[in-house]
Amino acid sequence: MICRFCKTELFNVFIDLINSPPSNSFLTENELNKPEIYYPLKIYICHNCFLVQIDEYKQSDEIFNEKYAYFSSYSSSWLIHSKNYVNMAIQKFQLNKKSFVIEIASNDGYLLQYFKERGIPCLGIEPASNVAATAKEKGLNIIEEFFGADLARILVAEGKIPDLLIGNNVLAHVPNLNDFIQGLKILLHHKGAITLEFPHLLKLIEKNQFDTIYHEHYSYFSFFTVNNIFKFHGLEIFDVEKLPTHGGSLRIYVKQAEDKSKVILQSVENLINLEIAKKINNIDYYKGLQSKANDIKYDLINFLITQKKKDNLVIAYGAAAKGNTLLNYCGIKKDLIKFIVDISPKKHNKFLPGSHIPILHEDEIKIFKPKYILILAWNIKEEIMKQLNYVREWDCKFIIPIPKVMIV
Ligand SMILES: [Zn+2]
């Protein structure tokens, strides 16, 4: 495999999760009778630029098609996060009715709806047609395309040049990273700003978040590496914030390298220094996640088998992509987890890929009264435990799998 940024040949394995079907390929009852395709889930680390990455086993148009089931708007905490961002961005970048905002991977319009509410012209770019359709129902303008240098040139030719260009949780999903960032460079107004949010690799390593690895996530970024990648493409990070979302993310603020109207804030140097102090630019830093992931795997299976032998019912909550990585790496099937509950009605009566655990409505919890609920969407565990607080009536407990198996 060749590094998708610097083209160095890769041979250092970061973690090997063996294999898994694509994480968002939920199955219908009919599809349970068909063969299922498993792809290798092996992650490499580049010893030259320290980009952590997966080989592109699966063509992205196979993943982001009409079956793509992730709708951003089903998480209430994510909506609050998005609304706060919009208020902040309008103030920080002094956006008004004459400004223009573009969001790449605009999903179901979870974020752009708040710009629209404030009367700021905006455009979404979203290749997955089912989520794009939901955004259009909200009255948003959406282009159904993958973003890259070609689309950026078309938008520029049409005069659609953004003052603010947003990409939340899209950078990791891009197979052709260099083409995507080149597209950002081409599209951005010479005095404009880009903000991107992505999970922080430091958190993945330090909090054992190996389940955030799946085929749709091609790259995993430290600030050190992302800063070098943007520099290479003639863009410059001028601010960075740490966010609690997705188990610990970064929000970077990027400008054209030629734009001298913005100062580079101290936050940039501070975070690079912190990462270098942790030896992020040394291959040894990246070793050790495999054995921690294995510890979680063995502890979780052990716990579930013990409950099974006691006839205690265990279910799970949150049919997110990360849940599929965890369940498939641990080899957990529906004999150990009876069903999974999810808030999204679009997932109900479907089945998880690989494990074939059925996805049901939350009402089933009250009917079956499980002894334990495994929280797969641990990044919003507080929100979930509050919502399910009524299960305490029959002394049900929660299992939190990450950063280590805990019963609460
Ligand atoms: Zn590299």
Side-chain angles (χ1 to χ4, degrees), residues 2-10 45-51 53 225:
I2 304 292
C3 174
R4 63 169 41 89
F5 169 57
C6 76
K7 311 300 175 200
T8 300
E9 190 167 355
L10 304 183
I45 165 82
C46 176
H47 57 275
N48 181 50
C49 72
F50 302 102
L51 181 65
Q53 54 200 296
T225 295

Side-chain angles (χ1 to χ4, degrees), residues 203-269:
K203 288 285 178 188
L204 191 161
I205 293 171
E206 291 180 357
K207 301 283 181 189
N208 307 332
Q209 299 164 351
F210 73 93
D211 59 338
T212 62
I213 293 168
Y214 44 90
H215 297 103
E216 295 89 324
H217 271 174
Y218 294 106
S219 310
Y220 303 80
F221 301 96
S222 65
F223 186 61
F224 174 85
T225 295
V226 93
N227 191 50
N228 288 336
I229 294 174
F230 278 89
K231 260 188 196 158
F232 176 84
H233 286 283
L235 292 161
E236 199 161 28
I237 299 177
F238 64 94
D239 194 9
V240 58
E241 290 168 19
K242 290 180 192 169
L243 306 172
T245 49
H246 295 282
S249 296
L250 295 180
R251 177 190 288 151
I252 57 170
Y253 295 78
V254 185
K255 65 177 185 67
Q256 298 281 9
E258 301 81 10
D259 175 9
K260 301 296 172 202
S261 68
K262 296 176 185 69
V263 239
I264 296 171
L265 300 179
Q266 190 59 38
S267 58
V268 174
E269 198 187 324

Side-chain angles (χ1 to χ4, degrees), residues 241-309:
E241 290 168 19
K242 290 180 192 169
L243 306 172
T245 49
H246 295 282
S249 296
L250 295 180
R251 177 190 288 151
I252 57 170
Y253 295 78
V254 185
K255 65 177 185 67
Q256 298 281 9
E258 301 81 10
D259 175 9
K260 301 296 172 202
S261 68
K262 296 176 185 69
V263 239
I264 296 171
L265 300 179
Q266 190 59 38
S267 58
V268 174
E269 198 187 324
N270 289 352
L271 188 50
I272 286 182
N273 288 343
L274 178 121
E275 288 193 345
I276 288 176
K278 286 178 186 282
K279 300 196 164 53
I280 202 110
N281 52 352
N282 183 327
I283 204 86
D284 290 339
Y285 176 75
Y286 300 86
K287 293 171 183 166
L289 184 64
Q290 183 83 55
S291 72
K292 287 179 188 167
N294 290 350
D295 286 345
I296 291 169
K297 172 177 180 164
Y298 304 141
D299 287 349
L300 186 58
I301 300 173
N302 193 24
F303 182 83
L304 292 177
I305 292 173
T306 305
Q307 299 315 314
K308 186 74 193 176
K309 286 184 171 170

Side-chain angles (χ1 to χ4, degrees), residues 307 311-315 336 338-339 368-373:
Q307 299 315 314
D311 243 357
N312 286 337
L313 180 65
V314 184
I315 67 149
L336 294 180
K338 190 177 174 67
F339 60 86
F368 283 93
K369 294 192 167 45
K371 188 83 181 160
Y372 292 97
I373 300 175

Side-chain angles (χ1 to χ4, degrees), residues 10 19 75 104 137 174 186 191 201 208 218 221 236 266 271 280 297 325 342 345 347 352 364 382-383:
L10 304 183
N19 60 18
S75 165
I104 302 165
E137 282 162 21
V174 177
I186 293 166
K191 288 272 173 67
L201 177 61
N208 307 332
Y218 294 106
F221 301 96
E236 199 161 28
Q266 190 59 38
L271 188 50
I280 202 110
K297 172 177 180 164
T325 296
D342 196 272
K347 291 180 186 171
L352 297 186
E364 303 295 323
E382 281 84 14
E383 183 182 335

